Amino acid sequence: MRHPQRPFPSPHAPSAPTALGNLPAELNRFVGRENELVRLAQLLDESRLVTIVGVGGVGKTRCATRIAALLKKRYCDGVRMAELSDVHDPELLEHALVDALGLTDHTSRPPRTTLIEHLAGRRLLLVVDGFEHLVDACAELVRELLRRAPGLRMLAVGRLPLELDGELTYPLAPMTDEDAMLLFAERAAAVRPDFRLTDDNRSAALELCRRLDGIPLALELAAGRLRALSTDQVLQHLDDRFRLLTGSSRSALARHQTLRTAIGWSHELCAPEQRLLWARLSVFARQFDLEAVEYICSGADLPADTVLDVLSGLLAQSVVVREDSARGTRYRMLDTVREYGAEWLAATDDTDRLRRRHRDWFLGLATWCELDWFSPRQGEVAARVESELPNLRRAMECSLEIPGEAHLAQYLAGTLWFLWVGCGRLSEGRHWLDHVLEEEDTPYDSSRLKALWVLGYVAVLQGDPVGAVSALQECRDEADRADDSTALAYAVHRMGCLSLVTDDMARAQELLDDALRRYRELGELNSNVLMAQVELAMAVGFHGDLDGAAAICEEVREICEDHGERWALSYALYVLAFAASQRGRPDRARELLGQSLAISHTFHDLLGSVLALELLALITAIEGDAAEAAVLQGAADRIWPSVGLPLFGSAHYGQPRVRCEELARRQLGDVRYESGLRAGGELDPDAAVARALASGPADRPETPARLPGTLPGPGKTRRPAASRTSGRGGPERW
């Protein structure tokens, strides 16, 4: 073996290569990936072995060759690349590396000896690509080469790491939207020189990039279709993307001829149980967790206690991607990978069974989350259902598509009331509730009644009294006929809520008192019941009884604190702030509104947020800062269209705005007031809330003010008509 200091090679040394590299020439321009290239360069400084892993078609090879070309000046003996995808016999692995290094050796020495002798005294970067089907043999060889050749650095490229000591793994993610658009546009121009991103095709191109998960191979194949189709037409055909995306450049590697081939290459290399789990995981939408996988995907052929190991294998091969966040560890498959698995699941004739298991799991999850909403875990529940929303949607779709199971979709849509109402998804909730109620399995079903009163609730909050009356009256009539006292209580409650926002305070008090009586008889206590009390307090307060309203909400606040409930608490705090403002205590009102707004914003409850902002704007005007009040009012104006009819058309709910505008216009004049509104309208909800919470009186004079003509003088109180009272004058604790 040649010594590093020896001036001449040994007689048995192979001839040296005539060039310092064999990297394939780039046939088109490398696009994007700047951050990835910087990170790879850093990793190669830190370790002698770096492995790029990722799903087929994500651009691993292209990134590897690009970074190798950029760094070639660092290695005095060059950069070499070994393509191993067409090497199927492990015994040919060493020969492949000899060829890649450009060595010629006619001796009878083992090729490994040749490799070691050549590399031992050289400073060289060796790229090995497509080793996954030879991973054990490749890992063993790489280990020895690195041990015997201290100047050698290696960049491995495959679906899974080599799992060697000192190895740094770099998972290559799909391209960002920006990079994906650049790539698509560049490749499209290669097949259609007149192609440019314009206002007419930009949105379709962006949707195309997102639908293809930002996978470079898929984007390039899609761009190739522009020879015959427009961008919109390519997008329309993506439902059958594997049929569409056929054909590639003749110069591409064989396994990259089609997207199917690229992903199929990964599939063929999986163990049977991994292929089975891959297929079953296709029933999930986006993210999933281990617990769900163990329930849904296990069976006699895949025991639950083996699922973790099999899933780990798919993770190692980049079929499944791990995503860690504040919500815990979750997993995901790219759409293209998932759809490939779905085809295999269909081929086993097991799709319907797996979809039902998926649906049943998420029915159970929704049921648990509804119960746990009324607990200190309310924030966790909100985060969980948000992350599981794609799967919950799929569960509803499954029930609607299976004859005789629409009632399960109705149950799920109704059970998710806390997501629609409490987490700011009124619009989507309305969509699903309308949709599931188009189906009717039987003349009466408790699930249908629940969906009806939830639909009525959502319609009320959207400012749609006609839709609300229709749903709630149907619910009440059917509940009467079926003697369903629970559905009847909720229907009465939401009718009272409708009366409240349409300014019929007497009717609102009557219905809400009735609903609270029914809830007590049923033993019902949850966030809805607390909201009934808060709504009763609003009716009482709007009717002139500030003390009665405050007493009810103080009681609600205690119950919320006992149970860890925060969503209903935010509305109770709003009413208490309203009462404080009317009593000439803007400082106390601001404190309470700050708490209310912070909670509402945390839950993405736009209704609670905008109500608090409206009242905060008035408080700010009362404190003497009319300019800031105008900005806050403008911010509220921007949010209302995302909620529904502004202020519900209610004179009572509209009083803070009316009074704020009167005060602010008087101090600022029309021009400055309108300018402040426009400035507030430019704030997104996050910025608006941050500004509102950061603002304060700061040397402003405290000027007591009341909403004109809405409240009685001090001393006049009224207890809720149907509420049992404690010694403090509020409803007795439950």
Side-chain angles (χ1 to χ4, degrees):
M1 183 175 69
R2 190 182 72 174
H3 190 276
Q5 303 297 324
R6 191 169 181 171
F8 303 101
S10 72
H12 299 291
S15 61
T18 58
L20 294 180
N22 68 336
L23 296 177
E26 293 186 336
L27 300 181
N28 48 30
R29 193 173 73 89
F30 186 87
V31 177
R33 299 288 201 185
E34 292 182 3
N35 293 333
E36 291 90 334
L37 294 176
V38 169
R39 183 56 182 152
L40 283 169
Q42 293 171 342
L43 293 177
L44 283 167
D45 280 339
E46 298 170 13
S47 174
R48 294 177 59 213
L49 174 61
V50 175
T51 302
I52 303 175
V53 298
V55 71
V58 80
K60 301 184 297 296
T61 299
R62 191 66 190 270
C63 277
T65 55
R66 182 63 172 174
I67 192 61
L70 292 173
L71 299 180
K72 63 183 179 182
K73 291 184 179 179
R74 294 187 183 182
Y75 304 95
C76 58
D77 291 303
V79 176
R80 310 293 298 190
M81 183 171 185
E83 169 56 55
L84 305 178
S85 61
D86 58 350
V87 179
H88 301 288
D89 186 347
E91 294 183 3
L92 297 177
L93 176 61
E94 294 163 6
H95 292 279
L97 293 188
V98 167
D99 291 340
L101 289 168
L103 304 178
T104 302
D105 184 14
H106 296 290
T107 71
S108 60
R109 294 183 305 165
R112 181 169 301 203
T113 303
T114 302
L115 290 171
I116 293 171
E117 183 174 328
H118 174 74
L119 295 171
R122 285 182 164 82
R123 180 175 175 80
L124 181 141
L125 175 64
L126 177 60
V127 182
V128 291
D129 184 24
F131 62 83
E132 46 271 341
H133 57 302
L134 303 169
V135 62
D136 292 335
C138 189
E140 192 274 326
L141 176 58
V142 168
R143 181 189 295 110
E144 183 168 6
L145 292 178
L146 290 172
R147 186 169 59 244
R148 303 285 293 273
L152 174 67
R153 289 185 181 253
M154 298 192 69
L155 181 60
V157 183
R159 294 179 300 103
L160 69 169
L162 291 164
E163 297 185 348
L164 296 176
D165 291 340
E167 178 186 26
L168 295 181
T169 302
Y170 183 75
L172 185 62
M175 301 183 94
T176 64
D177 286 348
E178 181 181 2
D179 282 352
M181 290 276 281
L182 288 174
L183 178 65
F184 178 76
E186 179 125 343
R187 300 301 184 256
V191 299
R192 269 183 48 195
D194 62 336
F195 181 86
R196 298 289 185 276
L197 285 177
T198 66
D199 291 339
D200 292 333
N201 64 16
R202 189 176 301 275
S203 61
L206 177 59
E207 179 65 16
L208 183 70
C209 293
R210 289 174 174 171
R211 289 282 300 277
L212 291 172
D213 300 313
I215 295 178
L217 174 61
L219 294 170
E220 295 194 3
L221 293 171
R225 281 299 176 188
L226 293 182
R227 291 184 178 94
L229 302 173
S230 69
T231 307
D232 284 319
Q233 287 174 319
V234 173
L235 184 59
Q236 291 168 7
H237 282 75
L238 279 182
D239 288 339
D240 189 12
R241 69 177 59 164
F242 289 117
R243 179 184 62 80
L244 173 71
L245 302 179
T246 57
S248 179
S249 168
R250 291 185 179 88
S251 62
L253 294 173
R255 72 174 187 272
H256 284 179
Q257 288 298 313
T258 63
L259 183 59
R260 180 186 295 277
T261 303
I263 299 176
W265 174 256
S266 294
H267 190 266
E268 291 170 7
L269 297 172
C270 285
E273 63 272 14
Q274 292 172 342
R275 296 182 192 177
L276 180 62
L277 182 57
W278 180 347
R280 291 178 177 177
L281 289 175
S282 67
V283 299
F284 287 101
R286 296 191 193 174
Q287 292 184 332
F288 47 87
D289 60 22
L290 177 61
E291 191 178 11
V293 174
E294 288 177 334
Y295 174 83
I296 296 168
C297 299
S298 63
D301 46 2
L302 188 63
D305 58 2
T306 69
V307 166
L308 176 57
D309 288 339
V310 179
L311 180 62
S312 298
L314 293 177
L315 281 165
Q317 299 182 67
S318 303
V319 172
V320 175
V321 179
R322 173 175 171 164
E323 296 184 343
D324 292 324
S325 68
R327 300 175 184 178
T329 298
R330 296 175 63 75
Y331 309 95
R332 180 173 62 92
M333 290 197 301
L334 299 178
D335 280 352
T336 45
V337 175
R338 180 185 57 77
E339 290 184 15
Y340 191 91
E343 290 189 4
W344 279 85
L345 185 63
T348 64
D349 201 26
D350 205 21
T351 300
D352 289 344
R353 184 183 71 86
L354 263 294
R355 291 187 70 197
R356 280 191 171 94
R357 286 180 69 85
H358 175 275
R359 188 269 317 280
D360 293 346
W361 170 265
F362 285 100
L363 280 175
L365 177 68
T367 301
W368 173 84
C369 285
E370 182 188 30
L371 294 172
D372 225 29
W373 178 256
F374 186 59
S375 79
R377 294 173 296 280
Q378 201 169 50
E380 298 170 26
V381 170
R384 180 69 184 273
V385 293
E386 284 284 350
S387 64
E388 296 291 9
L389 184 54
N391 285 303
L392 292 165
R393 292 169 181 148
R394 180 159 293 186
M396 282 186 279
E397 290 168 350
C398 173
S399 296
L400 289 171
E401 292 168 7
I402 298 175
E405 296 190 358
H407 64 285
L408 296 176
Q410 293 165 357
Y411 171 83
L412 186 50
T415 297
L416 291 174
W417 67 266
F418 60 93
L419 174 61
W420 315 136
V421 174
C423 299
R425 290 190 172 273
L426 289 175
S427 180
E428 179 164 356
R430 182 66 180 267
H431 164 81
W432 282 111
L433 290 159
D434 281 336
H435 193 39
V436 300
L437 286 168
E438 292 173 357
E439 305 291 334
E440 187 172 358
D441 290 343
T442 59
Y444 160 74
D445 186 272
S446 60
S447 297
R448 178 177 175 79
L449 296 188
K450 186 171 187 177
L452 280 169
W453 72 253
V454 174
L455 172 59
Y457 187 13
V458 169
V460 167
L461 298 180
Q462 288 184 314
D464 177 16
V466 174
V469 167
S470 175
L472 293 173
Q473 191 60 54
E474 181 180 352
C475 179
R476 187 169 186 173
D477 291 345
E478 292 188 16
D480 270 331
R481 285 194 293 271
D483 196 24
D484 188 326
S485 55
T486 299
L488 187 56
Y490 281 94
V492 171
H493 172 188
R494 294 308 163 195
M495 285 181 166
C497 184
L498 177 60
S499 296
L500 176 68
V501 301
T502 53
D503 289 340
D504 188 349
M505 295 304 136
R507 180 63 172 162
Q509 290 181 46
E510 176 187 346
L511 290 169
L512 290 168
D513 276 334
D514 186 15
L516 286 167
R517 176 185 59 79
R518 293 173 185 273
Y519 286 145
R520 283 194 296 273
E521 291 173 355
L522 291 167
E524 198 91 342
L525 178 60
N526 54 38
S527 297
N528 276 302
V529 175
L530 295 183
M531 282 300 296
Q533 292 180 263
V534 172
E535 289 153 5
L536 178 61
M538 289 179 177
V540 169
F542 287 149
H543 210 253
D545 185 358
L546 280 182
D547 291 341
I552 295 172
C553 286
E554 287 290 358
E555 191 74 22
V556 170
R557 180 156 68 170
E558 280 198 42
I559 298 173
C560 287
E561 290 172 353
D562 286 346
H563 290 270
E565 213 283 355
R566 294 184 58 75
W567 173 66
L569 174 63
S570 69
Y571 286 90
L573 292 170
Y574 169 81
V575 176
L576 291 170
F578 176 84
S581 70
Q582 295 300 305
R583 289 166 169 160
R585 294 197 57 193
D587 55 341
R588 178 59 176 161
R590 176 175 291 280
E591 177 186 355
L592 292 165
L593 284 171
Q595 298 172 30
S596 174
L597 180 58
I599 295 171
S600 296
H601 189 61
T602 297
F603 286 113
H604 308 291
D605 183 349
L606 290 182
L607 175 59
S609 296
V610 75
L611 290 175
L613 275 174
E614 293 260 309
L615 193 49
L616 264 174
L618 172 58
I619 298 302
T620 303
I622 290 172
E623 292 169 336
D625 192 346
E628 183 65 14
V631 172
L632 294 179
Q633 187 59 64
D637 289 347
R638 173 175 173 171
I639 294 174
W640 270 114
S642 299
V643 178
L645 180 66
L647 306 171
F648 311 113
S650 163
H652 288 90
Y653 280 102
Q655 278 291 350
R657 177 191 171 83
V658 171
R659 180 59 175 152
C660 176
E661 182 173 352
E662 289 175 355
L663 292 175
R665 281 189 186 275
R666 185 182 309 147
Q667 295 180 46
L668 299 173
D670 292 343
V671 173
R672 290 181 62 198
Y673 177 74
E674 296 294 340
S675 176
L677 285 182
R678 288 193 297 272
E682 294 175 358
L683 298 174
D684 62 37
D686 288 340
V689 170
R691 180 165 181 154
L693 294 178
S695 64
D699 300 325
R700 303 176 196 139
E702 183 172 314
T703 307
R706 295 179 182 273
L707 295 184
T710 60
L711 300 172
K716 182 178 180 181
T717 62
R718 175 189 178 280
R719 297 184 189 278
S723 299
R724 295 177 294 175
T725 57
S726 65
R728 292 183 299 278
E732 185 178 30
R733 292 183 63 190
W734 296 61

